[in-house]
mmCIF file of all heavy atoms in Angstrom:
data_model
loop_
_atom_site.group_PDB
_atom_site.id
_atom_site.type_symbol
_atom_site.label_atom_id
_atom_site.label_comp_id
_atom_site.label_asym_id
_atom_site.label_seq_id
_atom_site.Cartn_x
_atom_site.Cartn_y
_atom_site.Cartn_z
ATOM 1 N N ASP A 121 2.291 -15.030 7.270
ATOM 2 C CA ASP A 121 2.098 -14.260 8.499
ATOM 3 C C ASP A 121 3.005 -13.037 8.549
ATOM 4 O O ASP A 121 2.611 -11.980 9.068
ATOM 5 C CB ASP A 121 2.346 -15.143 9.724
ATOM 6 C CG ASP A 121 1.191 -16.122 9.971
ATOM 7 O OD1 ASP A 121 0.136 -15.967 9.316
ATOM 8 O OD2 ASP A 121 1.342 -17.027 10.808
ATOM 9 N N GLN A 122 4.215 -13.158 8.009
ATOM 10 C CA GLN A 122 5.110 -11.994 7.970
ATOM 11 C C GLN A 122 4.587 -10.944 7.000
ATOM 12 O O GLN A 122 4.681 -9.746 7.266
ATOM 13 C CB GLN A 122 6.532 -12.403 7.578
ATOM 14 C CG GLN A 122 7.516 -11.237 7.612
ATOM 15 C CD GLN A 122 8.919 -11.629 7.182
ATOM 16 O OE1 GLN A 122 9.270 -12.802 7.132
ATOM 17 N NE2 GLN A 122 9.725 -10.635 6.848
ATOM 18 N N MET A 123 4.015 -11.396 5.875
ATOM 19 C CA MET A 123 3.427 -10.462 4.925
ATOM 20 C C MET A 123 2.310 -9.659 5.588
ATOM 21 O O MET A 123 2.238 -8.429 5.466
ATOM 22 C CB MET A 123 2.882 -11.203 3.715
ATOM 23 C CG MET A 123 2.227 -10.297 2.675
ATOM 24 S SD MET A 123 1.271 -11.197 1.432
ATOM 25 C CE MET A 123 -0.183 -11.653 2.390
ATOM 26 N N VAL A 124 1.453 -10.359 6.320
ATOM 27 C CA VAL A 124 0.350 -9.683 7.009
ATOM 28 C C VAL A 124 0.891 -8.688 8.028
ATOM 29 O O VAL A 124 0.407 -7.553 8.124
ATOM 30 C CB VAL A 124 -0.581 -10.707 7.686
ATOM 31 C CG1 VAL A 124 -1.570 -10.012 8.619
ATOM 32 C CG2 VAL A 124 -1.332 -11.512 6.635
ATOM 33 N N GLU A 125 1.911 -9.086 8.771
ATOM 34 C CA GLU A 125 2.490 -8.182 9.762
ATOM 35 C C GLU A 125 3.068 -6.938 9.100
ATOM 36 O O GLU A 125 2.896 -5.821 9.605
ATOM 37 C CB GLU A 125 3.569 -8.892 10.573
ATOM 38 C CG GLU A 125 4.145 -8.033 11.681
ATOM 39 C CD GLU A 125 5.061 -8.794 12.615
ATOM 40 O OE1 GLU A 125 4.636 -9.833 13.152
ATOM 41 O OE2 GLU A 125 6.206 -8.335 12.809
ATOM 42 N N GLU A 126 3.730 -7.107 7.962
ATOM 43 C CA GLU A 126 4.274 -5.955 7.240
ATOM 44 C C GLU A 126 3.156 -5.020 6.801
ATOM 45 O O GLU A 126 3.283 -3.795 6.888
ATOM 46 C CB GLU A 126 5.080 -6.423 6.025
ATOM 47 C CG GLU A 126 6.434 -7.008 6.361
ATOM 48 C CD GLU A 126 7.443 -5.948 6.778
ATOM 49 O OE1 GLU A 126 7.281 -4.769 6.426
ATOM 50 O OE2 GLU A 126 8.409 -6.315 7.478
ATOM 51 N N ILE A 127 2.051 -5.575 6.346
ATOM 52 C CA ILE A 127 0.911 -4.742 5.935
ATOM 53 C C ILE A 127 0.359 -3.979 7.136
ATOM 54 O O ILE A 127 0.089 -2.779 7.060
ATOM 55 C CB ILE A 127 -0.184 -5.600 5.267
ATOM 56 C CG1 ILE A 127 0.322 -6.177 3.931
ATOM 57 C CG2 ILE A 127 -1.457 -4.778 5.039
ATOM 58 C CD1 ILE A 127 -0.611 -7.192 3.295
ATOM 59 N N LEU A 128 0.217 -4.673 8.261
ATOM 60 C CA LEU A 128 -0.328 -4.035 9.451
ATOM 61 C C LEU A 128 0.588 -2.940 9.993
ATOM 62 O O LEU A 128 0.121 -1.982 10.613
ATOM 63 C CB LEU A 128 -0.588 -5.084 10.535
ATOM 64 C CG LEU A 128 -1.695 -6.096 10.231
ATOM 65 C CD1 LEU A 128 -1.744 -7.166 11.319
ATOM 66 C CD2 LEU A 128 -3.048 -5.417 10.093
ATOM 67 N N LEU A 129 1.885 -3.077 9.760
ATOM 68 C CA LEU A 129 2.844 -2.074 10.222
ATOM 69 C C LEU A 129 2.908 -0.854 9.302
ATOM 70 O O LEU A 129 3.437 0.191 9.688
ATOM 71 C CB LEU A 129 4.244 -2.689 10.327
ATOM 72 C CG LEU A 129 4.512 -3.554 11.560
ATOM 73 C CD1 LEU A 129 5.794 -4.360 11.378
ATOM 74 C CD2 LEU A 129 4.593 -2.683 12.820
ATOM 75 N N ALA A 130 2.373 -0.978 8.115
ATOM 76 C CA ALA A 130 2.463 0.123 7.149
ATOM 77 C C ALA A 130 1.615 1.310 7.586
ATOM 78 O O ALA A 130 0.489 1.148 8.056
ATOM 79 C CB ALA A 130 2.013 -0.354 5.771
ATOM 80 N N ASP A 131 2.156 2.503 7.418
ATOM 81 C CA ASP A 131 1.371 3.719 7.653
ATOM 82 C C ASP A 131 0.445 3.984 6.480
ATOM 83 O O ASP A 131 -0.646 4.526 6.654
ATOM 84 C CB ASP A 131 2.309 4.910 7.863
ATOM 85 C CG ASP A 131 3.075 4.791 9.171
ATOM 86 O OD1 ASP A 131 2.437 4.813 10.232
ATOM 87 O OD2 ASP A 131 4.310 4.652 9.128
ATOM 88 N N VAL A 132 0.883 3.598 5.294
ATOM 89 C CA VAL A 132 0.047 3.710 4.110
ATOM 90 C C VAL A 132 0.504 2.669 3.099
ATOM 91 O O VAL A 132 1.685 2.329 3.021
ATOM 92 C CB VAL A 132 0.113 5.147 3.512
ATOM 93 C CG1 VAL A 132 1.477 5.436 2.903
ATOM 94 C CG2 VAL A 132 -0.984 5.378 2.488
ATOM 95 N N CYS A 133 -0.446 2.131 2.339
ATOM 96 C CA CYS A 133 -0.141 1.148 1.297
ATOM 97 C C CYS A 133 -0.435 1.775 -0.062
ATOM 98 O O CYS A 133 -1.408 2.527 -0.212
ATOM 99 C CB CYS A 133 -0.983 -0.113 1.485
ATOM 100 S SG CYS A 133 -0.669 -0.971 3.049
ATOM 101 N N VAL A 134 0.411 1.467 -1.037
ATOM 102 C CA VAL A 134 0.309 2.114 -2.347
ATOM 103 C C VAL A 134 -0.019 1.084 -3.429
ATOM 104 O O VAL A 134 0.603 0.023 -3.492
ATOM 105 C CB VAL A 134 1.612 2.847 -2.708
ATOM 106 C CG1 VAL A 134 1.512 3.466 -4.104
ATOM 107 C CG2 VAL A 134 1.917 3.925 -1.675
ATOM 108 N N VAL A 135 -0.992 1.431 -4.260
ATOM 109 C CA VAL A 135 -1.345 0.641 -5.444
ATOM 110 C C VAL A 135 -1.100 1.563 -6.640
ATOM 111 O O VAL A 135 -1.923 2.423 -6.950
ATOM 112 C CB VAL A 135 -2.811 0.170 -5.393
ATOM 113 C CG1 VAL A 135 -3.147 -0.661 -6.625
ATOM 114 C CG2 VAL A 135 -3.076 -0.632 -4.119
ATOM 115 N N ALA A 136 0.059 1.382 -7.285
ATOM 116 C CA ALA A 136 0.522 2.354 -8.285
ATOM 117 C C ALA A 136 0.377 1.848 -9.717
ATOM 118 O O ALA A 136 1.213 2.132 -10.568
ATOM 119 C CB ALA A 136 1.976 2.722 -8.000
ATOM 120 N N VAL A 137 -0.677 1.117 -9.993
ATOM 121 C CA VAL A 137 -0.895 0.551 -11.328
ATOM 122 C C VAL A 137 -0.863 1.645 -12.392
ATOM 123 O O VAL A 137 -1.485 2.702 -12.224
ATOM 124 C CB VAL A 137 -2.245 -0.185 -11.384
ATOM 125 C CG1 VAL A 137 -2.474 -0.782 -12.770
ATOM 126 C CG2 VAL A 137 -2.307 -1.276 -10.315
ATOM 127 N N LYS A 138 -0.137 1.380 -13.464
ATOM 128 C CA LYS A 138 -0.072 2.355 -14.558
ATOM 129 C C LYS A 138 -1.301 2.238 -15.455
ATOM 130 O O LYS A 138 -1.952 1.196 -15.512
ATOM 131 C CB LYS A 138 1.211 2.144 -15.362
ATOM 132 C CG LYS A 138 2.464 2.439 -14.545
ATOM 133 C CD LYS A 138 3.729 2.335 -15.359
ATOM 134 C CE LYS A 138 4.947 2.713 -14.528
ATOM 135 N NZ LYS A 138 6.200 2.629 -15.289
ATOM 136 N N LYS A 139 -1.605 3.310 -16.143
ATOM 137 C CA LYS A 139 -2.801 3.338 -16.980
ATOM 138 C C LYS A 139 -2.525 2.702 -18.331
ATOM 139 O O LYS A 139 -1.593 3.082 -19.039
ATOM 140 C CB LYS A 139 -3.269 4.779 -17.175
ATOM 141 C CG LYS A 139 -4.613 4.906 -17.872
ATOM 142 C CD LYS A 139 -5.085 6.354 -17.884
ATOM 143 C CE LYS A 139 -6.465 6.488 -18.514
ATOM 144 N NZ LYS A 139 -6.937 7.898 -18.488
ATOM 145 N N ASN A 140 -3.335 1.718 -18.688
ATOM 146 C CA ASN A 140 -3.288 1.115 -20.022
ATOM 147 C C ASN A 140 -4.670 0.570 -20.359
ATOM 148 O O ASN A 140 -5.601 0.673 -19.541
ATOM 149 C CB ASN A 140 -2.200 0.027 -20.102
ATOM 150 C CG ASN A 140 -2.409 -1.087 -19.098
ATOM 151 O OD1 ASN A 140 -3.508 -1.622 -18.960
ATOM 152 N ND2 ASN A 140 -1.353 -1.442 -18.372
ATOM 153 N N ALA A 141 -4.803 -0.014 -21.531
ATOM 154 C CA ALA A 141 -6.116 -0.452 -21.996
ATOM 155 C C ALA A 141 -6.725 -1.525 -21.092
ATOM 156 O O ALA A 141 -7.951 -1.681 -21.033
ATOM 157 C CB ALA A 141 -6.017 -0.972 -23.430
ATOM 158 N N TYR A 142 -5.878 -2.267 -20.398
ATOM 159 C CA TYR A 142 -6.359 -3.328 -19.509
ATOM 160 C C TYR A 142 -6.641 -2.787 -18.112
ATOM 161 O O TYR A 142 -7.677 -3.075 -17.508
ATOM 162 C CB TYR A 142 -5.326 -4.446 -19.446
ATOM 163 C CG TYR A 142 -5.631 -5.521 -18.440
ATOM 164 C CD1 TYR A 142 -6.668 -6.437 -18.650
ATOM 165 C CD2 TYR A 142 -4.880 -5.640 -17.271
ATOM 166 C CE1 TYR A 142 -6.954 -7.426 -17.723
ATOM 167 C CE2 TYR A 142 -5.154 -6.628 -16.336
ATOM 168 C CZ TYR A 142 -6.195 -7.523 -16.571
ATOM 169 O OH TYR A 142 -6.473 -8.496 -15.654
ATOM 170 N N SER A 143 -5.713 -1.992 -17.571
ATOM 171 C CA SER A 143 -5.813 -1.582 -16.165
ATOM 172 C C SER A 143 -7.038 -0.728 -15.886
ATOM 173 O O SER A 143 -7.524 -0.696 -14.747
ATOM 174 C CB SER A 143 -4.540 -0.851 -15.730
ATOM 175 O OG SER A 143 -4.426 0.413 -16.362
ATOM 176 N N VAL A 144 -7.551 -0.030 -16.896
ATOM 177 C CA VAL A 144 -8.722 0.818 -16.668
ATOM 178 C C VAL A 144 -10.003 -0.010 -16.521
ATOM 179 O O VAL A 144 -11.066 0.543 -16.229
ATOM 180 C CB VAL A 144 -8.909 1.855 -17.799
ATOM 181 C CG1 VAL A 144 -7.723 2.803 -17.865
ATOM 182 C CG2 VAL A 144 -9.136 1.173 -19.145
ATOM 183 N N LEU A 145 -9.906 -1.323 -16.726
ATOM 184 C CA LEU A 145 -11.082 -2.195 -16.657
ATOM 185 C C LEU A 145 -11.125 -3.058 -15.404
ATOM 186 O O LEU A 145 -12.118 -3.743 -15.170
ATOM 187 C CB LEU A 145 -11.122 -3.124 -17.884
ATOM 188 C CG LEU A 145 -11.147 -2.440 -19.252
ATOM 189 C CD1 LEU A 145 -11.071 -3.484 -20.358
ATOM 190 C CD2 LEU A 145 -12.409 -1.601 -19.401
ATOM 191 N N VAL A 146 -10.061 -3.066 -14.613
ATOM 192 C CA VAL A 146 -9.958 -4.043 -13.525
ATOM 193 C C VAL A 146 -9.613 -3.387 -12.192
ATOM 194 O O VAL A 146 -9.263 -2.213 -12.130
ATOM 195 C CB VAL A 146 -8.883 -5.112 -13.844
ATOM 196 C CG1 VAL A 146 -9.219 -5.849 -15.137
ATOM 197 C CG2 VAL A 146 -7.498 -4.482 -13.937
ATOM 198 N N HIS A 147 -9.715 -4.192 -11.140
ATOM 199 C CA HIS A 147 -9.221 -3.829 -9.818
ATOM 200 C C HIS A 147 -8.052 -4.761 -9.494
ATOM 201 O O HIS A 147 -7.955 -5.853 -10.056
ATOM 202 C CB HIS A 147 -10.294 -4.013 -8.752
ATOM 203 C CG HIS A 147 -11.399 -3.024 -8.826
ATOM 204 N ND1 HIS A 147 -12.419 -2.992 -7.916
ATOM 205 C CD2 HIS A 147 -11.660 -2.019 -9.696
ATOM 206 C CE1 HIS A 147 -13.254 -2.016 -8.206
ATOM 207 N NE2 HIS A 147 -12.822 -1.412 -9.298
ATOM 208 N N THR A 148 -7.187 -4.341 -8.576
ATOM 209 C CA THR A 148 -6.116 -5.226 -8.124
ATOM 210 C C THR A 148 -6.498 -5.836 -6.784
ATOM 211 O O THR A 148 -7.047 -5.159 -5.908
ATOM 212 C CB THR A 148 -4.784 -4.464 -7.965
ATOM 213 O OG1 THR A 148 -4.976 -3.413 -7.011
ATOM 214 C CG2 THR A 148 -4.328 -3.882 -9.277
ATOM 215 N N ASN A 149 -6.188 -7.099 -6.622
ATOM 216 C CA ASN A 149 -6.559 -7.794 -5.398
ATOM 217 C C ASN A 149 -5.894 -7.177 -4.167
ATOM 218 O O ASN A 149 -6.481 -7.092 -3.091
ATOM 219 C CB ASN A 149 -6.180 -9.272 -5.512
ATOM 220 C CG ASN A 149 -7.133 -10.170 -4.746
ATOM 221 O OD1 ASN A 149 -8.351 -10.049 -4.893
ATOM 222 N ND2 ASN A 149 -6.599 -11.037 -3.920
ATOM 223 N N LYS A 150 -4.628 -6.731 -4.334
ATOM 224 C CA LYS A 150 -3.924 -6.226 -3.147
ATOM 225 C C LYS A 150 -4.589 -4.985 -2.580
ATOM 226 O O LYS A 150 -4.521 -4.748 -1.366
ATOM 227 C CB LYS A 150 -2.455 -5.971 -3.438
ATOM 228 C CG LYS A 150 -2.146 -4.906 -4.480
ATOM 229 C CD LYS A 150 -0.636 -4.842 -4.692
ATOM 230 C CE LYS A 150 -0.253 -3.937 -5.848
ATOM 231 N NZ LYS A 150 1.211 -3.966 -6.078
ATOM 232 N N MET A 151 -5.256 -4.197 -3.407
ATOM 233 C CA MET A 151 -5.965 -3.038 -2.892
ATOM 234 C C MET A 151 -7.001 -3.461 -1.858
ATOM 235 O O MET A 151 -7.136 -2.857 -0.789
ATOM 236 C CB MET A 151 -6.646 -2.274 -4.027
ATOM 237 C CG MET A 151 -7.423 -1.054 -3.572
ATOM 238 S SD MET A 151 -8.244 -0.197 -4.936
ATOM 239 C CE MET A 151 -9.619 -1.315 -5.258
ATOM 240 N N PHE A 152 -7.710 -4.549 -2.154
ATOM 241 C CA PHE A 152 -8.729 -5.041 -1.229
ATOM 242 C C PHE A 152 -8.105 -5.756 -0.034
ATOM 243 O O PHE A 152 -8.684 -5.773 1.058
ATOM 244 C CB PHE A 152 -9.709 -5.940 -1.965
ATOM 245 C CG PHE A 152 -10.603 -5.187 -2.908
ATOM 246 C CD1 PHE A 152 -10.430 -5.277 -4.271
ATOM 247 C CD2 PHE A 152 -11.605 -4.358 -2.428
ATOM 248 C CE1 PHE A 152 -11.238 -4.566 -5.150
ATOM 249 C CE2 PHE A 152 -12.428 -3.647 -3.288
ATOM 250 C CZ PHE A 152 -12.238 -3.752 -4.657
ATOM 251 N N GLU A 153 -6.938 -6.354 -0.225
ATOM 252 C CA GLU A 153 -6.243 -6.945 0.927
ATOM 253 C C GLU A 153 -5.887 -5.863 1.937
ATOM 254 O O GLU A 153 -6.026 -6.065 3.155
ATOM 255 C CB GLU A 153 -5.000 -7.696 0.445
ATOM 256 C CG GLU A 153 -5.338 -8.944 -0.346
ATOM 257 C CD GLU A 153 -4.138 -9.607 -0.989
ATOM 258 O OE1 GLU A 153 -3.024 -9.054 -0.914
ATOM 259 O OE2 GLU A 153 -4.318 -10.692 -1.573
ATOM 260 N N TYR A 154 -5.420 -4.727 1.447
ATOM 261 C CA TYR A 154 -5.110 -3.612 2.339
ATOM 262 C C TYR A 154 -6.372 -3.122 3.058
ATOM 263 O O TYR A 154 -6.362 -2.850 4.258
ATOM 264 C CB TYR A 154 -4.467 -2.459 1.577
ATOM 265 C CG TYR A 154 -3.194 -2.810 0.856
ATOM 266 C CD1 TYR A 154 -2.851 -2.205 -0.352
ATOM 267 C CD2 TYR A 154 -2.316 -3.762 1.374
ATOM 268 C CE1 TYR A 154 -1.681 -2.520 -1.019
ATOM 269 C CE2 TYR A 154 -1.143 -4.091 0.710
ATOM 270 C CZ TYR A 154 -0.835 -3.469 -0.489
ATOM 271 O OH TYR A 154 0.327 -3.796 -1.150
#
Side-chain angles (χ1 to χ4, degrees):
D121 285 349
Q122 184 182 344
M123 179 193 75
V124 169
E125 184 171 306
E126 285 287 337
I127 293 172
L128 293 174
L129 282 166
D131 291 296
V132 69
C133 298
V134 178
V135 181
V137 180
K138 295 184 177 180
K139 188 173 183 178
N140 59 48
Y142 173 72
S143 69
V144 298
L145 302 175
V146 301
H147 289 183
T148 59
N149 212 49
K150 63 183 172 184
M151 179 181 75
F152 289 107
E153 291 172 355
Y154 302 147

